[in-house]
Amino acid sequence: MSLRVIFAPLTGRKSEKSVLATAASAANRFNAHIDIVSVRADPRDAIPYLGEGLSGALVEELIARAETESSDQARKARIDFDAWRDATGLVYADSRSDYMTARHTDDDGPSCSWREISGASNQTVATCGRLADLIVAPRGDIDSDVEDEVALETALFHSGRPLLLAPPTPTNDFGERIAIAWDGSAEAARAVGAALPFLQRAETVTAITIEEEDKAEAPAADLAAYLAWHGVPINTHGNTLGTVTVGEALLGAAMRESADMLVMGAYGHNRFRELVFGGTTRYLL
């Protein structure tokens, strides 16, 4: 399995530096291309929410101001992108042929491109993410930022692609010590399959299992036998819940292993149930 195209949506948040750093690290590791898209909201989409009491002239003025602010943000985003690209040394290429022309070679190497799209961020993430091998997004705070919640769930459920969450603080060093949250579920299996490029390059891989009274055990030995065919030796680490939740047990075990990356499936329960009652995915996020 190869990782060739990384999609990194930018929406004007401070956490975008971490997204770019994480994407660049992955691109350098796999000689991949980063498709960077600056998503700009279309002010006209807000017209239905402005209320009937506003005059047409006032609505047009509000839209004009919003467009000016959006253009200013777009210019700043492009300046930040150019500075980041200069610092990383990534080749700029809008297509594979552009890359070969710029490098005068057919050999693969890390590269990036820049696009600006006006529209709803969730639609952009879903559409662009489907044509990437990996989506990189900020972890954010899903309990206080509605847009982060929408973007996160769109990437998870409507792109059909794996999601790599960048940490709040930019880092180029991750994926050396990987922990796998393994419960034998379809979600966990898909996550392991998507993470194979990282697993095959890691120094150590540890499968973490949690014993729950109301669930059948998913032997980590079976996972180890599967990954051995991919050249990935793993350690296994079983845990009992005791008085903590599954999320607390997983996070604690990953920290004890000094893991710098956690591979796991998301939302094994209904999303609304987790929104109301909480759950492993929301806890770990």
Side-chain angles (χ1 to χ4, degrees):
M1 177 181 176
S2 62
L3 198 163
R4 297 292 295 121
V5 180
I6 300 169
F7 172 53
L10 306 181
T11 56
R13 286 174 170 73
K14 294 180 179 179
S15 53
E16 289 175 354
K17 289 184 178 180
S18 182
V19 170
L20 291 174
T22 302
S25 177
N28 283 313
R29 190 172 310 181
F30 300 106
N31 287 326
H33 176 76
I34 311 173
D35 177 23
I36 300 172
V37 176
S38 177
V39 185
R40 297 172 54 189
D42 188 341
R44 290 173 177 77
D45 291 339
I47 291 177
Y49 305 99
L50 292 178
E52 299 179 355
L54 300 180
S55 66
L58 181 55
V59 169
E60 288 299 322
E61 181 182 350
L62 292 174
I63 290 176
R65 289 181 182 178
E67 287 179 336
T68 299
E69 181 179 347
S70 178
S71 296
D72 291 340
Q73 290 177 346
R75 281 192 293 271
K76 182 181 183 302
R78 182 56 197 250
I79 292 173
D80 292 342
F81 164 76
D82 288 336
W84 166 81
R85 187 176 66 84
D86 289 341
T88 59
L90 290 175
V91 174
Y92 185 92
D94 287 319
S95 65
R96 172 68 175 165
S97 59
D98 286 348
Y99 172 82
M100 291 187 293
T101 300
R103 291 293 301 270
H104 306 289
T105 178
D106 291 339
D107 295 337
D108 292 328
S111 60
C112 65
S113 60
W114 170 271
R115 291 188 288 162
E116 293 181 9
I117 295 179
S118 179
S121 61
N122 60 330
Q123 294 176 352
T124 301
V125 169
T127 302
C128 297
R130 289 168 189 157
L131 296 176
D133 301 311
L134 180 70
I135 300 173
V136 179
R139 190 185 73 188
D141 185 349
I142 64 171
D143 288 324
S144 63
D145 194 317
V146 175
E147 285 195 34
D148 276 353
E149 174 86 359
V150 172
L152 173 66
E153 295 209 352
T154 297
L156 283 174
F157 297 105
H158 300 291
S159 70
R161 298 300 187 177
L163 174 65
L164 176 60
L165 290 180
T169 303
T171 178
N172 296 317
D173 185 18
F174 68 92
E176 299 299 327
R177 299 179 59 85
I178 300 179
I180 300 174
W182 181 248
D183 62 0
S185 65
E187 293 84 3
R190 283 194 292 267
V192 169
L196 272 176
F198 288 97
L199 297 175
Q200 290 170 333
R201 289 166 173 78
E203 291 182 0
T204 62
V205 178
T206 302
I208 299 173
T209 58
I210 307 295
E211 296 178 10
E212 299 181 74
E213 292 183 358
D214 59 339
K215 288 188 177 181
E217 185 178 353
D222 294 343
L223 175 64
Y226 164 73
L227 288 176
W229 286 106
H230 290 277
V232 181
I234 70 170
N235 305 311
T236 59
H237 196 301
N239 297 265
T240 55
L241 275 182
T243 59
V244 301
T245 65
V246 174
E248 291 170 330
L250 280 176
L251 187 59
M255 293 177 67
R256 286 192 295 274
E257 295 294 326
S258 299
D260 55 32
M261 183 176 184
L262 177 63
V263 174
M264 64 173 285
Y267 290 111
H269 295 295
N270 178 277
R271 280 175 284 166
F272 181 74
R273 179 183 183 277
E274 291 213 7
L275 177 64
V276 176
F277 299 106
T280 303
T281 301
R282 295 188 68 85
Y283 176 83
L284 287 169
L285 290 174

